[in-house]
Amino acid sequence: MLIASFNCNSVRARMPVLKRWLADTSPDFLCLQETKVVDGDFPVDEFLESGYNSVFMGEKSYNGVAIISKTKPDSVFHGFDGKGSDEGTRLIAVKSGKINIVNTYIPQGTAPDSEKFQYKLHWFERIKELFDSRYKKSDILIWVGDFNVAPEPIDVHNPKRLLGSVGYHPEEHRALASVKEWGFTDIFRKHTPDGGNYSFWDYRVKDGVARGLGWRVDHIWGTSKASDKSVRSWIDVEPRLWEKPSDHTPILAEFNF
DNA sequence: ATGGTCGTTGGACGA
């Protein structure tokens, strides 16, 4: 079973990349963030043509999450309340058989001295509460998405300079670590101990991929029952080098379920 | 690297 996460930065603008990548890679589940489209305009039919079912919730211009999959999930949960009225365009979860997948687009946070940064920190508390209330630590639970945090020094290209900036801030590290303590393993890191593996490169940095000026802010985490069944995890840099790329690139994990 | 660029829009704003 192959599960992927990709901040596509507009699902409509990224359709050529998405179709090509799905045909090449054939994941069972692809979790998308920043779809930037209202539900009525989500490209359901185009994904169907590629062989994928879609569940999603979006809004005009900003945010938006989706999970596309080869088989239709048994159930879908939107936002913190399940119905989508509270952060439904940043959190979508599915259950498919025994497998639970939570896909999040965590707030970016803007600047450490901003209210939005506090909101981001609070978001980690809230999702920990969701894990507590909705899931068991013995579940097969896979949490993926754009967490907008690079957890370790090896996850940014210049940790000394970047420490304290949004995405690599001690308060974010504490907040994320607290969620991890609930019972998650960083599945990518389990299989790939080396630094320099990034999932995001700013559009404004010229030749950022070639120059290694990236961040690992997209993640696939899992409970022990998920992590123990993971056989490999990797970041596919190629789509970031294609024409009209997202500023992120897909991260994947393969499981022996 | 913080200036650089994207995407959605229809002028900025978010990232």
Side-chain angles (χ1 to χ4, degrees):
Chain A
M1 164 142 334
L2 192 55
I3 297 179
S5 175
F6 180 34
N7 180 324
C8 60
N9 186 20
S10 169
V11 68
R12 289 178 294 179
R14 218 58 61 209
M15 221 53 218
V17 165
L18 284 161
K19 282 183 175 175
R20 177 180 170 185
W21 190 78
L22 286 171
D24 287 353
T25 310
S26 193
D28 295 283
F29 292 89
L30 171 60
C31 298
L32 298 173
Q33 305 88 33
E34 283 207 88
T35 55
K36 294 187 175 180
V37 64
V38 295
D39 292 348
D41 293 334
F42 193 91
V44 176
D45 292 340
E46 289 185 78
F47 281 121
L48 272 177
E49 287 165 15
S50 294
Y52 286 87
N53 181 80
S54 305
V55 294
F56 46 83
M57 187 172 281
E59 64 187 273
K60 190 178 172 181
S61 302
Y62 306 111
N63 306 325
V65 283
I67 298 178
I68 70 166
S69 55
K70 287 182 177 173
T71 58
K72 193 177 174 182
D74 299 327
S75 63
V76 189
F77 187 89
H78 296 279
F80 287 113
D81 64 351
K83 296 173 183 169
S85 59
D86 185 3
E87 295 293 66
T89 62
R90 288 189 182 274
L91 193 164
I92 185 169
V94 293
K95 186 174 176 66
S96 186
K98 291 180 179 175
I99 296 164
N100 296 280
I101 301 174
V102 174
N103 172 25
T104 56
Y105 173 50
I106 292 176
Q108 188 264 359
T110 309
D113 60 355
S114 67
E115 282 184 23
K116 288 181 177 176
F117 190 79
Q118 296 305 314
Y119 186 78
K120 178 183 191 175
L121 295 177
H122 185 49
W123 223 92
F124 288 104
E125 294 177 25
R126 296 191 71 197
I127 192 149
K128 187 176 182 180
E129 288 165 12
L130 180 77
F131 291 133
D132 245 338
S133 62
R134 184 168 166 79
Y135 301 96
K136 297 194 296 283
K137 296 175 187 185
S138 57
D139 284 344
I140 296 173
L141 171 61
I142 299 161
W143 176 28
V144 312
D146 180 356
F147 293 7
N148 265 313
V149 179
E152 303 173 84
I154 56 173
D155 295 324
V156 291
H157 55 274
N158 189 338
K160 277 188 184 169
R161 182 177 61 80
L162 292 174
L163 185 62
S165 34
V166 175
Y168 189 66
H169 191 286
E171 289 187 55
E172 292 173 337
H173 291 153
R174 271 197 295 276
L176 183 57
S178 173
V179 188
K180 197 176 188 185
E181 282 166 14
W182 183 82
F184 287 105
T185 296
D186 181 337
I187 290 176
F188 175 83
R189 187 50 79 211
K190 174 184 170 180
H191 293 279
T192 312
D194 305 324
N197 287 288
Y198 306 127
S199 65
F200 163 81
W201 298 261
D202 196 314
Y203 283 130
R204 293 168 292 189
V205 179
K206 188 166 174 55
D207 301 323
V209 180
R211 296 162 63 200
L213 299 175
W215 303 59
R216 189 176 72 104
V217 293
D218 300 274
H219 301 285
I220 299 182
W221 286 13
T223 53
S224 58
K225 281 195 179 164
S227 176
D228 291 349
K229 295 283 187 184
S230 68
V231 290
R232 62 183 183 129
S233 182
W234 68 101
I235 292 168
D236 185 357
V237 180
E238 286 303 312
R240 184 64 180 79
L241 300 168
W242 293 349
E243 199 172 332
K244 273 200 84 180
S246 170
D247 42 2
H248 296 247
T249 208
I251 177 172
L252 305 94
E254 186 179 352
F255 298 87
N256 194 11
F257 291 130

